[in-house]
Amino acid sequence: MRVAFLGLGVMGYPMAGHLVRKGGHEVTVYNRSAAKAAQWVAEYGGKSAATPRAAAEGCDLVAMCVGNDNDVRSVVYGDDGALAGMKSGALLVDHTTASALLARELHDKCAAQGIGFVDAPVSGGQAGAVNGQLGIMCGGETADFDRAKPILDVYAKGCVLIGGPGAGQLTKMVNQIVIAGLLQGLSEGLAFGKRSGLDLEKVISVISKGAAQSWQMENRWKAMNDMKFDGFGFAVEWMRKDLGICLDEAHRNGARLPVTAIIDQFYSQVEGRGGSRWDTCSLMQLLGSD
Amino acid sequence: MRVAFLGLGVMGYPMAGHLVRKGGHEVTVYNRSAAKAAQWVAEYGGKSAATPRAAAEGCDLVAMCVGNDNDVRSVVYGDDGALAGMKSGALLVDHTTASALLARELHDKCAAQGIGFVDAPVSGGQAGAVNGQLGIMCGGETADFDRAKPILDVYAKGCVLIGGPGAGQLTKMVNQIVIAGLLQGLSEGLAFGKRSGLDLEKVISVISKGAAQSWQMENRWKAMNDMKFDGFGFAVEWMRKDLGICLDEAHRNGARLPVTAIIDQFYSQVEGRGGSRWDTCSLMQLLGSD
């Protein structure tokens, strides 16, 4: 198949690579910085294009993974945007974590051109993208999802249609809200334990076998014990972007997020301490001994 | 060995039973309500005594699992208390979730009589007690722990010495703090998902495979989706007792528990809605559609 991939960041770069190596597709990439696109072509073969429109022309599926709602709009709309180049019957897939409002807007704009749309944010981080083991949460029409899934499966360990347009984005929001509260509880518990003089390795050996267990506990307790938050994981600035989307959506749908809202503010404090690039478990830094 | 068990509540009743059936010990029980002690003797054999002191006389180990700090003091101290009947060289083990302050006090009082003390709160709930699969978090001196462990192992899937006197209680507090924050995040996320019209079964099928995963998510999402919080799990009134201990200790040791403190207040609201006996995942009830 002919596939385009727009946005070669830490996620998109390896994802587009899987489309070539595992999918055997004819892939054209577009990236805002052309040097990165040239590097990708040198590594994987395929082609690069100067605009999203040029990348999308003649493709069966156009996937993208960019920064936020406005970045999505800038690669999809306008004379140089992907929609201007896409043919009727093609599919547009957005892996960006963005608003459900944008997903519904894209669905409608695509539908007007006879193009299918699937919102498909991912979880699993950079490691999941590199290993082709992402969780993909999809929203859209069943027929569109069914056509997209075999292509997306090259970088997925799970690719599930949750509901109509926007449902993928809303599911990603649930994921981020759950993680925020969980990490704050974990941070308060471990900071309390340190302050009490406990050996956290022994503490974790017991409590990780019971009702307090979580992926974050198992994978982050060591960093939290060492108070080393840099150089791994999911960055605070990305989490804040996502929590902003959650809080916006909650204003619209009336959901109550009392603790999520506070944690967003705590992350603002982490950023104030220079932690924009630290992993999200750095909430613990605010509870430290200083 | 001769063992006494004080307090035949939902936890103590089956725990004392394991000491007979799996441990083969000669067990004497004491319970505030004598009818429950008689029922236990009818079920397991062994003996019951009219006072903690009478139960403890001649025993190598006296274990207890009662309600709170004051309940512990009432069965241990005074003319009828266990300490009045215990012999030098015996061991006192407290499975009650109580304060670290009390644990250190008991350790010192026991030491003055040549008695070893281990604070040993448990996790795993009623099911863990019935199945003999409790997590036991211990504080005390190594020699005392080493003597107690083979006896406690009859109802443990893990029995670990964390540190000196009080370290078991402090570990249990870490456990409860972690769970409180985790459950609030899970509640906010799932309530947001429901409010957004998502099918939570599909949502969980994806997000439970990634960084949002937790024991609570896997074991409680269904109840939370159904908004059925009664008749299972760990009761809100017990959680509030435990969080009270955490917040008291934090006042002493200077640990910061900003979200734990708020969640304790949320649980107060749950109790106001009649939820004292509901499972702790009922935090979600406050985020519901009303």
Side-chain angles (χ1 to χ4, degrees), chain B:
Chain B
M1 289 237 217
R2 291 189 60 183
V3 179
F5 203 102
L6 316 178
L8 300 174
V10 295
M11 302 296 289
Y13 192 101
M15 289 165 78
H18 289 302
L19 290 170
V20 175
R21 295 225 176 125
K22 284 167 69 181
H25 299 295
E26 197 178 317
V27 180
T28 304
V29 297
Y30 164 79
N31 194 59
R32 200 157 42 182
S33 128
K36 198 62 166 281
Q39 184 193 331
W40 185 91
V41 170
E43 185 170 345
Y44 292 106
K47 286 182 285 187
S48 75
T51 64
R53 174 184 184 155
E57 270 165 0
C59 283
D60 304 293
L61 183 144
V62 176
M64 63 186 144
C65 192
V66 295
N68 58 33
D69 281 30
N70 284 337
D71 296 328
V72 172
R73 288 193 176 93
S74 78
V75 296
V76 172
Y77 299 150
D79 286 347
D80 289 337
L83 271 184
M86 289 177 74
K87 62 185 181 189
S88 179
L91 281 170
L92 181 65
V93 174
D94 188 12
H95 291 304
T96 312
T97 295
S99 71
L101 223 54
L102 175 67
R104 293 185 199 110
E105 172 189 311
L106 287 169
H107 171 267
D108 294 348
K109 299 256 193 197
C110 285
Q113 286 189 225
I115 293 166
F117 175 76
V118 179
D119 52 295
V122 300
S123 65
Q126 191 173 354
V130 169
N131 302 326
Q133 295 286 307
L134 294 168
I136 310 185
M137 305 157 238
C138 299
E141 294 170 26
T142 305
D144 295 331
F145 171 78
D146 289 344
R147 284 194 297 148
K149 186 174 185 301
I151 298 166
L152 309 184
D153 273 342
V154 299
Y155 40 72
K157 70 173 172 184
C159 180
V160 177
L161 181 67
I162 308 288
Q169 297 297 352
L170 290 163
T171 300
K172 179 68 184 279
M173 293 177 216
V174 172
N175 190 70
Q176 303 303 67
I177 294 165
V178 168
I179 288 175
L182 189 163
L183 281 172
Q184 179 65 22
L186 186 59
S187 297
E188 293 190 14
L190 297 189
F192 176 96
K194 283 189 80 144
R195 174 78 66 155
S196 305
L198 299 179
D199 176 341
L200 289 192
E201 183 158 11
K202 289 180 184 168
V203 171
I204 295 295
S205 77
V206 182
I207 71 173
S208 66
K209 296 191 176 71
Q213 178 276 340
S214 66
W215 184 98
Q216 297 284 347
M217 175 183 279
E218 291 177 358
N219 289 277
R220 295 289 181 261
W221 80 266
K222 191 79 176 59
M224 296 170 85
N225 188 40
D226 298 342
M227 300 289 269
K228 303 270 190 216
F229 304 117
D230 210 0
F232 65 94
F234 187 71
V236 166
E237 63 185 349
W238 298 345
M239 188 59 156
R240 288 209 77 203
K241 185 207 87 176
D242 294 359
L243 292 180
I245 294 172
C246 297
L247 293 165
D248 275 356
E249 181 66 32
H251 269 274
R252 272 189 292 274
N253 72 14
R256 295 172 201 147
L257 301 176
V259 165
T260 305
I262 289 167
I263 295 172
D264 178 57
Q265 293 300 308
F266 290 163
Y267 278 127
S268 165
Q269 282 185 266
V270 173
E271 290 200 296
R273 293 185 179 195
S276 296
R277 302 292 308 163
W278 295 349
D279 180 71
T280 42
C281 72
S282 56
L283 283 169
M284 179 151 172
Q285 217 268 358
L286 304 177
L287 306 168
S289 51
D290 58 332

Side-chain angles (χ1 to χ4, degrees), chain A residues 200-239:
Chain A
L200 288 192
E201 183 158 12
K202 289 182 185 167
V203 170
I204 295 294
S205 77
V206 182
I207 70 174
S208 67
K209 297 192 175 71
Q213 180 276 342
S214 66
W215 184 97
Q216 297 285 347
M217 175 184 280
E218 290 177 358
N219 289 276
R220 294 289 180 262
W221 81 266
K222 190 81 175 62
M224 295 168 86
N225 188 41
D226 298 342
M227 302 288 271
K228 302 270 190 215
F229 305 117
D230 210 0
F232 66 94
F234 188 71
V236 165
E237 62 184 352
W238 297 345
M239 188 60 156

